[in-house]
Amino acid sequence: MGSNQTWVTEVILLGFQVDPELEVLLFGFFLLFYSLTLIGNGVILGLICLDSRLHTPMYFFLLNLAIIDMSYASSTVPKMLANLVMQKKTISFGPCILQTFLYLAFAVTECMSLVVMSYDRYVAICHPLHYSVIMSWRACIGLAAASWAFSFLLALVHITLILRLPFCGPQKINHFFCQIMSVLKLACADTRLNQIVLFVGSMFVLVGPLSLVLVSYTRILFAILRIQSGEGRRKAFSTCSSHLCVVGLFFGSAIIMYLAPKSSHSQEQRKILSLFYSLFNPLLNPLIYSLRNTEVKGALRRLGKRR
């Protein structure tokens, strides 16, 4: 590298690039959504821990999802909120890379967890007599742990490939957090290997799991249609439709973000998509599950009566 090049020690997060008055409004708006995300997922977490009737594999995975959602949002939103009210919108290079790692890790963990949850529903509806054997507590803990371990290892692969690159500018990231594709633009070397690995990884953790979910729910649909009891059919549809809403929101926005051609979306549109699945999606998850799930609403009523 030439001696006149400056190595990047900190970067400027350009964020949404709006008027200062609008930044204050956005700060209040995003702070409200972030607070509701933590409260909503915290309520789900507390209900499942406190109510013994919810100590089942399905709610164990929902508890796991709530933890992921809170971690997912917390990996990017606090820094975004700080930058909205600060004049100096910088982040040191080390914390920037850490933010990239955590964001990738929690995003992949959510993908894997949604697949595991669809498998749980598949076993419960298509193989009810063997459910307690197949989805034992050892199996549930193993599936959850495997999802976390795989996700953090995959994120570590991406970060290792990033850290082999020299970074010498520009020092500006046109985003509200250190998103991996924006970070790669800071490198002053060939990033084709990183982009190929990112694309293959995205295909593996988005298209592959989504295909498994769709296959599972196709079989679930046929199994539900064979249920003779109207009440049983309604309960199965209610539970599965909640999960499908979450799957559609998360996978849909992520596939558009990482697998759609770059020319099809402007940078501002990509920021909005990133904001959707890093802030709004974690908020929608507890709302979808609580509003459409009679057992969660029942647990909330029972907790209210205790008070």
Side-chain angles (χ1 to χ4, degrees), residues 197-223:
V197 173
L198 181 61
F199 180 79
V200 172
S202 299
M203 288 286 292
F204 184 75
V205 301
L206 292 175
V207 178
L210 181 59
S211 300
L212 291 174
V213 170
L214 292 176
V215 169
S216 295
Y217 273 96
T218 300
R219 300 193 66 176
I220 286 171
L221 178 61
F222 286 116

Side-chain angles (χ1 to χ4, degrees), residues 25-208:
L25 183 63
L26 288 176
F27 173 81
F29 183 69
F30 293 152
L31 179 61
L32 174 63
F33 271 78
Y34 179 56
S35 301
L36 291 174
T37 296
L38 296 182
I39 293 169
N41 285 287
V43 167
I44 293 289
L45 196 65
L47 283 175
I48 294 171
C49 290
L50 294 172
D51 197 311
S52 59
R53 299 185 195 183
L54 300 183
H55 292 174
T56 63
M58 173 183 166
Y59 291 103
F60 168 76
F61 293 124
L62 183 55
L63 179 146
N64 185 51
L65 184 66
I67 293 172
I68 295 166
D69 281 335
M70 289 191 289
S71 305
Y72 193 26
S74 298
S75 67
T76 59
V77 176
K79 183 60 179 175
M80 178 187 71
L81 292 173
N83 284 348
L84 284 171
V85 294
M86 293 174 63
Q87 292 292 327
K88 190 179 181 184
K89 306 178 190 299
T90 59
I91 183 172
S92 299
F93 190 70
C96 180
I97 293 298
L98 178 61
Q99 190 181 63
T100 304
F101 170 74
L102 291 175
Y103 185 80
L104 285 171
F106 291 130
V108 177
T109 307
E110 179 141 354
C111 288
M112 297 299 105
S113 296
L114 290 174
V115 174
V116 171
M117 290 173 75
S118 72
Y119 176 69
D120 171 69
R121 291 299 84 207
Y122 164 74
V123 176
I125 294 172
C126 297
H127 302 283
L129 299 179
H130 303 287
Y131 180 72
S132 60
V133 176
I134 297 174
M135 301 304 295
S136 64
W137 281 113
R138 173 181 281 187
C140 292
I141 294 170
L143 286 169
S147 298
W148 281 81
F150 169 78
S151 303
F152 274 74
L153 284 173
L154 183 60
L156 186 61
V157 169
H158 287 300
I159 295 303
T160 302
L161 290 175
I162 287 175
L163 292 177
R164 58 179 267 282
L165 298 170
F167 289 89
C168 51
Q171 290 181 279
K172 295 180 179 179
I173 289 180
N174 187 15
H175 218 296
F176 61 87
F177 75 103
C178 293
Q179 200 257 1
I180 185 168
M181 291 186 289
S182 299
V183 171
L184 290 176
K185 292 178 181 177
L186 304 179
C188 46
D190 188 359
T191 61
R192 277 179 295 182
L193 176 61
N194 299 75
Q195 292 173 10
I196 290 170
V197 173
L198 181 61
F199 180 79
V200 172
S202 299
M203 288 286 292
F204 184 75
V205 301
L206 292 175
V207 178

Side-chain angles (χ1 to χ4, degrees), residues 245-260:
C245 286
V246 173
V247 168
L249 288 170
F250 184 85
F251 280 93
S253 56
I255 286 173
I256 292 171
M257 181 67 192
Y258 287 101
L259 298 181

